[in-house]
Amino acid sequence: RDTLSGPSKPDSPTYLDIDFGDYYALVIGNNDYRDDDFSDLKTAVADASAIADILEADYQFNVTRLLNVSRSDIYKGVYQFREKLNSRDNFLIYYAGHGTIDIDTRVGYWLPVDATETPENWISDADINHMLKAMAAKHVIVVADSCYSGTLTRGFEEIEVERVPSDGLDEAWIRRVMSKRARVALTSGSLEPVVDSDGGQHSVFARYLIKVLQENKGVITGDQVYDNLKKYVVANSDQTPAFASIRNVGHEFGDFLFVKRRQHP
């Protein structure tokens, strides 16, 4: 039976008494590319929409959706959050769309729908890092489902986050992690192409990310999300997800906390 296991505990009054701060997400999905150099994708918009729905309904994120958008649209979307967020906030950026890598420089890029063969409309790793460095939010995670997305985390041999204790989460551990800034990335692959669709309505990575988020019963960390979905993605594709802190943007050994909210009848 295909079920999830992990150290995340069920929702409890103790956890709900913690002030986790406000949660915001910018969810980007690009299917329809304007230039003939880039084929249209099949699942990016559906992936982004499904993730946005779960974040809103189950995790009470304030979500902004950007579907089939240009480089300018993405920059404007991020800048609005730069102006809005404060030091008690949590921010997630989800990107599904084409990605590429410059073979000579080993720099990775997101490709908005107005991308062309030359890189004037591409969004580089450095661009993303500059966006994150300016964010006041306490905890930030970038979730990227695109080819070569692992360049965001390249250069880290270890995951520099507070690891979950073997006996599971407790209030003291959660409060300690919450006190530290986090700038982390969860990517669908390393320095490799990734699968857009294997015949279903979602990419392999998105399908299991959705599963992890749906089956979580309480508080789950970015590191736990990675551990849970990695085994499924590796077993069902030729890609290997990655998770690590992002360099030079203010990371302090924290992690991103996903908090499943109690559903009232």
Side-chain angles (χ1 to χ4, degrees):
R1 185 183 175 196
D2 190 18
T3 60
L4 289 172
S5 61
S8 181
K9 292 182 179 179
D11 203 356
S12 72
T14 299
Y15 285 179
L16 293 179
D17 287 343
I18 296 175
D19 181 6
F20 290 94
D22 295 326
Y23 279 77
Y24 298 88
L26 179 66
V27 177
I28 304 162
N30 285 336
N31 273 358
D32 302 331
Y33 282 80
R34 302 171 187 170
D35 195 284
D36 291 339
D37 287 316
F38 304 105
S39 61
D40 288 345
L41 297 177
K42 297 178 181 178
T43 66
V45 167
D47 294 344
S49 298
I51 295 296
D53 288 345
I54 292 169
L55 294 177
E56 281 183 333
D58 296 343
Y59 292 84
Q60 294 184 9
F61 276 70
N62 183 328
V63 178
T64 297
R65 305 170 191 233
L66 296 179
L67 304 178
N68 293 317
V69 288
S70 67
R71 184 180 193 273
S72 175
D73 294 329
I74 294 172
Y75 265 84
K76 288 177 182 176
V78 174
Y79 187 81
Q80 289 174 356
F81 283 102
R82 174 179 171 179
E83 296 294 291
K84 176 189 299 186
L85 301 180
N86 61 51
S87 60
R88 65 180 297 277
D89 291 331
N90 307 274
F91 183 51
L92 179 150
I93 302 176
Y94 178 89
Y95 172 77
H98 274 307
T100 192
I101 188 171
D102 185 312
I103 299 300
D104 295 324
T105 64
R106 309 299 286 177
V107 173
Y109 295 87
W110 292 351
L111 300 179
V113 296
D114 59 344
T116 60
E117 185 177 5
T118 53
E120 61 268 15
N121 288 336
W122 303 0
I123 297 177
S124 71
D125 296 340
D127 294 328
I128 297 165
N129 287 355
H130 286 313
M131 295 175 190
L132 300 184
K133 196 168 187 178
M135 291 284 173
K138 176 65 69 69
H139 294 156
V140 178
I141 186 170
V142 178
V143 182
D145 189 2
S146 64
C147 295
Y148 308 105
S149 53
T151 57
L152 278 169
T153 60
R154 187 182 59 224
F156 288 99
E157 297 180 358
E158 297 182 357
I159 300 170
E160 296 184 340
V161 298
E162 187 86 24
R163 304 308 296 264
V164 173
S166 59
D167 58 350
L169 306 179
D170 59 31
E171 183 176 351
W173 186 90
I174 291 173
R175 291 188 183 278
R176 184 167 68 253
V177 170
M178 286 177 57
S179 71
K180 302 174 182 179
R181 282 165 60 90
R183 299 291 186 270
V184 294
L186 172 63
T187 65
S188 59
S190 184
L191 307 184
E192 60 197 359
V194 300
V195 178
D196 173 36
S197 173
D198 59 357
Q201 64 177 351
H202 295 298
S203 74
V204 172
F205 175 80
R207 182 163 73 246
Y208 291 110
L209 176 58
I210 291 167
K211 181 179 180 64
V212 171
L213 293 176
Q214 287 178 331
E215 295 193 4
N216 171 44
K217 296 293 191 294
V219 180
I220 189 169
T221 68
D223 190 24
Q224 288 177 301
V225 171
Y226 164 70
D227 282 343
N228 275 319
L229 70 81
K230 179 183 177 181
K231 58 188 175 184
Y232 294 113
V233 174
V234 170
N236 291 280
S237 71
D238 294 324
Q239 65 198 66
T240 302
F243 178 74
S245 51
I246 302 174
R247 64 173 67 222
N248 301 322
V249 292
H251 180 73
E252 295 177 351
F253 213 64
D255 199 353
F256 196 90
L257 301 176
F258 293 87
V259 184
K260 193 75 167 282
R261 308 295 179 167
R262 179 170 292 170
Q263 300 299 308
H264 297 285

